[in-house]
């Protein structure tokens, strides 16, 4: 498949993600009139000011090095269960790729899939750690990112085997997810290859209603791929300076966010189809809106890929 830069033009999918399928949940739009409450008393001199309790389920606010400044931004994320499933999927794929390279006389040149998938894994693990939802890999996320990065950097098969063992061990590590932020954790080139790899797989799995019905009998793989397609562009906003378009950082951020949001809608539409809450056309329209949105970014950052969504 041709290299795809994974963000795109502002096309809206026909299916909006339901509140229970996208993390964090959307707030209600109903208007509620609250009774007037007395203003809180000012603390006496020398007393520490009481902090307001944080709202349950609020957006995940983290610093992000974007467009030359650090900003706190609300980042919508897919269900953490889908991201956890994609971590497991990546571990399996990476292990198989390394196994297939046994006997390679030029590991570094032959390990493109390993580098691609460890890069994607780093960004998915970052989202797991930053998700407001708890999961079995939340505390392990910093260790997973470190181990995946180390594996992607090795240039010998024997070293890759040892690094993969360390990656598997990192799944049960315990770190501090509060140390994580939407900053650069993967190189841009392999991440650009991770996106079409995921998108092409999802296309093959779901480009007919019959295929989608078969896939959702065991849907974890599909949900994970669509979730990864949402968080990889979000995580790549921090790679703006690596695009070679120093004067287009704002456009890069915009395109990344647009693809992220379209992927979130495709993920939600897959869940809705599985729950008999949407028909196949609704899912496919959402999925195509995601893949079609690539061209806006291609026009600025990768003109050779315009018109190619896989």
């Amino acid at each position: 498949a041709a290299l795809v830069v994974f963000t795109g033009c502002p096309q809206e999918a026909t299916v909006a993600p339901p509140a229970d399928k996208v993390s964090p949940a959307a707030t209600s739009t109903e208007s509620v009139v609250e009774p007037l409450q007395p203003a809180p008393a000012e603390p006496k001199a020398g007393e520490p000011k009481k902090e307001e309790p944080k709202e349950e389920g609020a957006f995940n606010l983290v610093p992000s090095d974007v467009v030359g400044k650090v900003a706190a931004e609300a980042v919508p994320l897919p269900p953490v269960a889908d991201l956890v499933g994609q971590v497991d999927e990546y571990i399996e794929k990476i292990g198989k790729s390394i196994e297939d390279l046994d006997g390679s006389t030029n590991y570094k040149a032959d390990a493109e899939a390993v580098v691609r998938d460890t890069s994607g894994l780093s960004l998915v693990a970052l989202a797991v750690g930053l998700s407001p939802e708890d999961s079995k890999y939340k505390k392990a996320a910093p260790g997973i990112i470190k181990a995946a990065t180390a594996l992607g950097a090795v240039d010998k098969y024997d070293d890759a085997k040892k690094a993969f063992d360390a990656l598997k061990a990192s799944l049960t590590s315990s770190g501090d997810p509060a140390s994580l932020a939407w900053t650069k954790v993967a190189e841009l080139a392999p991440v650009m290859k991770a996106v079409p790899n995921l998108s092409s797989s999802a296309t093959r799995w779901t480009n007919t209603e019959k295929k989608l019905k078969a896939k959702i009998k065991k849907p974890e793989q599909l949900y994970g791929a669509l979730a990864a397609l949402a968080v990889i562009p979000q995580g790549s906003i921090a790679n703006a300076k690596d695009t070679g378009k120093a004067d287009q950082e704002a456009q890069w951020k915009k395109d990344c966010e647009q693809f992220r949001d379209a992927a979130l809608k495709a993920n939600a539409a897959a869940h809705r189809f599985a729950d008999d809450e949407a028909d196949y056309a609704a899912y496919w329209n959402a999925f195509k809106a995601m893949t079609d949105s690539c061209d806006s970014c291609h026009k600025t950052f990768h003109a050779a890929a315009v018109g190619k969504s896989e």
Side-chain angles (χ1 to χ4, degrees):
L3 174 62
V4 174
V5 176
F6 47 81
T7 55
C9 60
Q11 297 188 34
E12 291 295 326
T14 58
V15 179
D20 61 343
K21 298 301 184 183
V22 176
S23 170
T27 57
S28 172
T29 57
E30 294 182 355
S31 176
V32 179
V33 178
E34 298 287 349
L36 286 175
Q37 299 292 331
E42 290 294 323
K44 295 178 181 179
E47 286 186 354
K49 186 175 181 180
K50 292 184 179 179
E51 292 187 4
E52 293 294 324
K54 293 183 179 180
E55 181 184 352
E56 185 70 22
F59 273 116
N60 182 30
L61 299 178
V62 295
S64 182
D65 186 9
V66 176
V67 196
K69 65 180 180 180
V70 175
E73 299 195 350
V75 177
L77 296 173
V80 76
D82 296 353
L83 295 169
V84 165
Q86 185 59 29
V87 170
D88 291 333
E89 179 71 13
Y90 266 138
I91 296 295
E92 183 177 344
K93 286 176 66 178
I94 292 166
K96 181 66 166 59
S97 294
I98 292 173
E99 182 181 320
D100 290 345
L101 290 172
D102 188 7
S104 170
T105 57
N106 190 355
Y107 173 84
K108 192 66 175 178
D110 296 336
E112 182 178 293
V114 176
V115 178
R116 177 196 70 202
D117 291 339
T118 53
S119 299
L121 173 59
S122 291
L123 290 171
V124 172
L126 179 62
V128 170
L130 291 173
S131 174
E133 298 181 81
D134 197 11
S135 69
K136 66 178 181 178
Y137 293 144
K138 189 174 183 68
K139 290 184 178 180
I144 294 172
I145 295 168
K146 182 178 179 180
T149 302
L151 173 55
V154 303
D155 56 10
K156 295 179 181 178
Y157 177 73
D158 289 342
D159 291 339
K161 289 195 297 181
K162 294 175 184 177
F164 181 63
D165 288 340
L167 176 59
K168 290 187 290 184
S170 74
L171 299 177
T172 56
S173 64
S174 183
D176 181 11
S179 67
L180 300 174
W182 288 112
T183 52
K184 180 178 174 179
V185 299
E187 295 300 320
L188 188 60
V191 166
M192 291 297 94
K193 296 173 183 176
V195 171
N197 177 259
L198 292 164
S199 179
S200 296
S201 295
T203 299
R204 292 194 305 271
W205 297 334
T206 68
N207 58 5
T208 69
E209 184 172 4
K210 182 178 179 180
K211 288 182 180 180
L212 180 56
K213 284 182 175 179
K215 196 66 181 176
I216 63 169
K217 291 179 180 178
K218 191 176 180 182
E220 294 83 1
Q221 197 176 43
L222 173 62
Y223 294 160
L226 294 172
L229 285 167
V231 301
I232 288 175
Q234 170 60 38
S236 296
I237 293 173
N239 294 78
K241 291 181 172 62
D242 301 330
T243 64
K245 304 277 187 177
D247 60 338
Q248 295 290 340
E249 289 189 29
Q251 185 64 43
W252 175 254
K253 179 175 183 292
K254 178 182 177 182
D255 287 343
C256 285
E257 290 173 342
Q258 286 172 343
F259 191 92
R260 175 200 70 196
D261 293 346
L264 286 170
K265 290 181 179 181
N267 175 275
H271 279 282
R272 290 175 65 85
F273 181 84
D275 294 339
D276 293 324
E277 295 174 358
D279 60 14
Y280 176 74
Y283 163 77
W284 189 244
N285 286 340
F287 183 81
K288 287 299 292 178
M290 178 190 73
T291 57
D292 290 349
S293 70
C294 294
D295 276 352
S296 175
C297 188
H298 289 163
K299 289 174 183 176
T300 303
F301 298 100
H302 190 35
V306 171
K308 302 172 183 178
S309 60
E310 296 181 23

